[in-house]
Amino acid sequence: MLKHTLAAVAATLSMAGSVFAQTDLPFALDWKFEGPAAPYFVAIDNGHFEAADLSVEISAGQGSLDAIPKVATGAFPVGFADINSLIKFLDQNPGAPVTAVMMVYDKPPFAIIGRKSLGVEVPKDLEGRVLGAPPPDGAWAQFPAFAIANDLDVDAITVEPVGFPTREPMLAEGNVAAVTGFSFSSYLNLVRLGVPEEDISTILMADYGLALYGNAIIVNTDFAEANPEVITGFLGAIAAGWKDAIADPASAIESLIERNPAADAELEQRRLELSIDANVATEYALANGMGGIDADRMAKSLEQIAQTYEFQNAPDASLYFTDAYLPDADARMLK
């Protein structure tokens, strides 16, 4: 009897020790709790963060740039943001303690979403029409390079600054002919507003000359340098969450709906699947594991950024991305 009691006490102490050993890690997303955010909640619900001794609290964001200052100031140790915006931020704030450590959107979802009935199907169709663009939008930030790649006469395009909440409604009502946005978000938002799918055109910038990368996991470098094992564990759990979501999108959306009960489960599952197929499970990521980048492609993307952005300092890819915290490739394979 005493032996069983001592064993029970030891087990209780062991469990308590594991709980107390968990590191609290607030994680700042780029946007709302929609389909592409589901894998991060899967990483919680399927125990991947817990297995890495992490207690992760996920916060919604307000755009592709939103998490960058949050992480740079140390308000959040980790976040999710557009790497192109991060590049410009670091150029304007040399030495800021923030960098990308894991590429998630290997093929970025930057897109022009138009309506065929309003005459927009290919890039050149934007000339002579009104384009709605939220100023903080990650896709809008890449538009100048997209315009150069497609030889667009930007003076012939009327740009209407719009807010995120009014972007798709304005397009649905015909007040603009197209909008900038993320392919999987704007497309399905229009569907939800009753725009026929056959009337929607998705002009993915990556299919029209842009070598840019998309959103990545970013870290506060001071925190990462002091806690490298925490970051590596976190990234391994992120990869596991995406792998689970790819294998069972419907189950992943259940995790999302727990955090956002007002969401349309069917719509968000489609949004998740669109992001998987077009942005995450790319040929490169499937072959090499998610998270890494190709040096030649990064160099080309910096050249494209420099076409429309005047660097204050010589661009240096090592300042914007490091693979030092990535777990082994086997731990990052998506299938």
Side-chain angles (χ1 to χ4, degrees):
M1 185 69 173
L2 179 60
K3 185 181 293 185
H4 289 304
T5 302
L6 291 174
V9 170
T12 300
L13 290 173
S14 175
M15 289 177 62
S18 66
V19 170
F20 289 124
Q22 284 193 336
T23 299
D24 291 331
L25 202 65
F27 178 35
L29 287 183
D30 61 330
W31 193 233
K32 305 170 187 176
F33 292 171
E34 295 183 341
Y40 309 117
F41 297 116
V42 170
I44 293 176
D45 294 345
N46 288 2
H48 301 309
F49 287 133
E50 185 178 9
D53 291 326
L54 299 176
S55 175
V56 176
E57 181 177 351
I58 300 173
S59 297
Q62 299 181 36
S64 300
L65 292 69
D66 189 54
I68 297 172
K70 291 178 179 177
V71 174
T73 59
F76 285 79
V78 289
F80 185 57
D82 168 41
I83 194 170
N84 307 288
S85 300
L86 175 67
I87 288 167
K88 295 175 183 177
F89 177 87
L90 285 169
D91 183 58
Q92 296 161 16
N93 300 273
V98 57
T99 193
V101 292
M102 182 183 212
M103 187 54 60
V104 177
Y105 294 157
D106 179 62
K107 187 175 183 180
F110 308 134
I112 305 297
I113 310 296
R115 291 184 61 182
K116 298 175 184 177
S117 61
L118 297 177
V120 177
E121 295 190 53
V122 296
K124 274 290 185 182
D125 293 337
L126 294 172
E127 296 177 358
R129 294 184 170 83
V130 180
L131 173 67
D137 178 44
W140 169 242
Q142 318 319 321
F143 184 79
F146 169 79
I148 290 175
N150 292 277
D151 193 28
L152 298 184
D153 180 359
V154 293
D155 291 333
I157 302 170
T158 300
V159 178
E160 179 75 25
V162 298
F164 285 121
T166 59
R167 172 175 51 190
E168 288 84 17
M170 288 187 70
L171 180 54
E173 293 164 7
N175 294 325
V176 297
V179 296
T180 63
F182 276 18
S183 54
F184 50 72
S185 291
S186 290
Y187 180 91
L188 290 178
N189 289 345
L190 287 171
V191 172
R192 185 173 56 190
L193 290 169
V195 178
E197 292 193 48
E198 60 270 19
D199 188 34
I200 302 172
S201 58
T202 301
I203 304 171
L204 199 63
M205 294 183 183
D207 292 338
Y208 287 88
L210 288 198
L212 305 181
Y213 282 98
N215 279 35
I217 302 296
I218 63 174
V219 300
N220 180 280
T221 53
D222 292 338
F223 180 90
E225 288 168 7
N227 303 276
E229 71 291 340
V230 169
I231 299 302
T232 298
F234 176 75
L235 299 181
I238 293 290
W242 273 102
K243 183 176 182 178
D244 290 352
I246 290 169
D248 190 353
S251 179
I253 293 302
E254 291 178 8
S255 290
L256 177 79
I257 296 300
E258 283 186 27
R259 280 78 177 187
N260 184 7
D264 181 326
E266 183 178 351
L267 189 76
E268 295 310 328
Q269 183 172 333
R270 284 196 64 194
R271 201 188 307 274
L272 170 62
E273 291 170 343
L274 285 172
S275 71
I276 290 170
D277 293 342
N279 313 116
V280 178
T282 63
E283 182 177 346
Y284 181 87
L286 291 173
N288 299 282
M290 77 175 296
I293 64 172
D294 176 79
D296 291 340
R297 179 180 163 192
M298 175 58 86
K300 185 176 180 181
S301 73
L302 291 175
E303 291 174 2
Q304 287 188 323
I305 292 172
Q307 290 176 341
T308 57
Y309 173 78
E310 186 175 352
F311 279 94
Q312 299 176 16
N313 305 282
D316 180 354
S318 67
L319 297 176
Y320 320 130
F321 183 91
T322 177
D323 61 5
Y325 302 101
L326 285 175
D328 293 340
D330 288 346
R332 296 183 281 112
M333 300 306 292
L334 294 174
K335 290 185 179 180

